[in-house]
Amino acid sequence: MDVMLLAGTRPEAVKLAPLALALDARPGLRPLVVHSGQHQGMVEQALAPFEVGIDAWLDVPPRVSGTQAELVSGLLPALDAALRRYQPSAVVVQGDTTTGLAGALAAFWLGIPVVHLEAGLRTHDLASPFPEEGTRQMISRIAALHLVPTAAAAAGAALRAEGVPSERITRTGNTVVDAVLAVAARDLPARDPALALLEMGIAEAGEQLVLVTSHRRESWGEPLTRTLTAVRQIVDAHPRVQVLFPVHPNPAVREQVEKVLGGVARVTVTEPLEYPDLVRALRLASLVLTDSGGIQEEAPTFGTPVLVLRDTTERPEAVEAGCAWLVGTDTELITDTAARILRGEISAAASANPYGNGSAAARSALAIEALLGVSLDAAALVSPKGTQH
């Protein structure tokens, strides 16, 4: 049975890669990795460290306006054609992306079961994060199986309140922990020259690295200006701090970052890091400032404290576990909390990562197997690659 894994962005690819490997290890199941084309080049780059290849690319027209409507109108016909061609037994969509929403719709319309990886996350505020909160709620309405990453999501205050039967909810942990552990175990040297130089300098001078990322649409403009002002104040107040800021590819965001931080001593602005480099930076960092959901899940594996640059988060587990602090884009709150962490007055709790221990992909594969009714007897007749004995 083919299980289509649909990815269009780097975070999707990172979280789907461990599942692809776990499915490939199950007799009777075969992963079919499909690139939607949402972010060209990023999916391939993210899958490479896991040695997971792409089986198919969607034939999507080039984007002109860059709007969500344009992307969805291009994805749906291409997805419909791909689903009719490959006829997968199930389609896995991840998280809250436009690719995930389009994939869920196209599969649902063809009667193909939709598996939602990283299901059940909620802020209950459709404006934050936008449009992700609305996207994941819409996917939940048509998913056949909800793979939830934590006990809080599985407890069902969200999904069960929305009428999802408990038998369709499986707690798995988050596959990003599987991914980050696998990459960290390889301990690859930094590929980005700026990161490599920072790493050497920090080791020699005994400095502290502060990793900063900000990419969400609601952070652009004035909120990002407040964050950048806080970063500048942190650098000014802490002479042993080096800042690494991999910037979102949007030209307006880069211009805003360069305007405030360009040329500032001990601030290094780079292009987005390849995933192994990002993992290396997380391990090296003394502190992370981010509005990324993935980094909130990845950093606790290394005990790296996180300041969440959002007013709300659908990932409260890290905050509750003492691994992260919700600071929004309040300049004073960011700088004050960062100062306390950098001075050692507060630190991330030494508890286990609330998002799992690296077994999420295997649990997810078993849940998909159960959904499809793959019995051991039937599976024994088929090799892992689907060749009849």
Side-chain angles (χ1 to χ4, degrees):
M1 291 185 176
D2 285 340
V3 178
M4 182 179 288
L5 308 178
L6 187 61
T9 66
R10 187 174 80 169
E12 286 173 297
V14 166
K15 293 180 177 183
L16 287 168
L19 179 56
L21 296 172
L23 288 170
D24 199 44
R26 302 298 304 172
L29 296 179
R30 178 173 58 183
L32 180 70
V33 179
V34 176
H35 188 342
S36 76
Q38 182 174 342
H39 288 172
Q40 293 290 350
M42 299 299 286
V43 170
E44 299 92 321
Q45 178 198 95
L47 293 176
F50 305 95
E51 299 182 349
V52 171
I54 296 173
D55 298 297
W57 283 259
L58 296 184
D59 184 16
V60 178
R63 297 171 68 184
V64 178
S65 68
T67 64
Q68 299 295 301
E70 179 189 43
L71 177 58
V72 172
S73 65
L75 283 173
L76 285 174
L79 282 163
D80 184 76
L83 290 168
R84 292 177 186 275
R85 176 183 176 186
Y86 294 107
Q87 299 183 8
S89 298
V91 173
V92 180
V93 298
Q94 190 281 324
D96 47 31
T97 69
T98 303
T99 287
L101 176 59
L105 284 170
F108 175 72
W109 288 333
L110 292 175
I112 300 171
V114 174
V115 178
H116 191 191
L117 183 66
E118 196 177 86
L121 277 64
R122 296 290 185 271
T123 64
H124 302 289
D125 179 358
L126 291 176
S128 178
F130 180 85
E132 290 86 353
E133 176 68 11
T135 298
R136 55 184 171 235
Q137 289 194 30
M138 287 186 275
I139 293 173
S140 291
R141 303 312 303 157
I142 54 179
L145 175 62
H146 305 257
L147 302 177
V148 299
T150 65
L159 289 173
R160 292 179 188 172
E162 294 168 8
V164 176
S166 58
E167 60 269 21
R168 292 191 179 184
I169 304 171
T170 300
R171 178 187 172 188
T172 60
N174 198 306
T175 56
V176 80
V177 178
D178 303 39
V180 79
L181 288 173
V183 170
R186 297 178 64 186
D187 197 25
L188 299 171
R191 285 173 55 90
D192 187 282
L195 175 59
L197 286 172
L198 270 177
E199 187 170 2
M200 287 189 294
I202 287 169
E204 292 174 0
E207 294 174 322
Q208 296 172 294
L209 178 66
V210 175
L211 176 65
V212 183
T213 75
S214 183
H215 71 280
R216 293 191 179 275
R217 289 177 182 270
E218 65 265 28
S219 298
W220 298 358
E222 181 56 33
L224 180 56
T225 296
R226 294 194 294 269
T227 295
L228 297 175
T229 300
V231 172
R232 179 69 182 265
Q233 291 179 4
I234 291 168
V235 172
D236 291 342
H238 302 273
R240 292 178 55 247
V241 160
Q242 293 278 355
V243 169
L244 175 63
F245 197 147
V247 177
H248 189 280
N250 182 283
V253 174
R254 174 167 283 277
E255 181 181 353
Q256 194 173 355
V257 173
E258 293 285 0
K259 182 178 179 180
V260 179
L261 298 179
V264 175
R266 294 181 286 115
V267 174
T268 302
V269 177
T270 71
E271 300 294 327
L273 297 176
E274 294 183 17
Y275 192 65
D277 276 1
L278 176 62
V279 171
R280 196 165 188 87
L282 285 171
R283 295 174 68 184
L284 182 64
S286 298
L287 173 64
V288 178
L289 278 60
T290 188
D291 61 8
S292 163
I295 289 179
Q296 293 176 58
E297 299 156 347
E298 293 156 336
T301 295
F302 306 117
T304 306
V306 178
L307 300 189
V308 182
L309 305 173
R310 295 169 56 187
D311 296 321
T312 59
T313 179
E314 63 278 38
R315 295 168 172 86
E317 296 85 4
V319 176
E320 294 165 359
C323 304
W325 290 262
L326 200 63
V327 295
T329 57
D330 182 310
T331 300
E332 184 176 355
L333 183 57
I334 295 170
T335 55
D336 288 351
T337 311
R340 294 179 64 197
I341 292 172
L342 292 169
R343 290 195 300 259
E345 296 173 7
I346 55 175
S347 59
S351 56
N353 189 336
Y355 299 106
N357 59 7
S359 59
R363 291 174 178 168
S364 297
L366 285 171
I368 293 170
E369 186 177 77
L371 171 72
L372 298 179
V374 179
S375 69
L376 293 177
D377 290 339
L381 302 176
V382 185
S383 75
K385 294 300 181 184
T387 304
Q388 297 290 331
H389 289 294

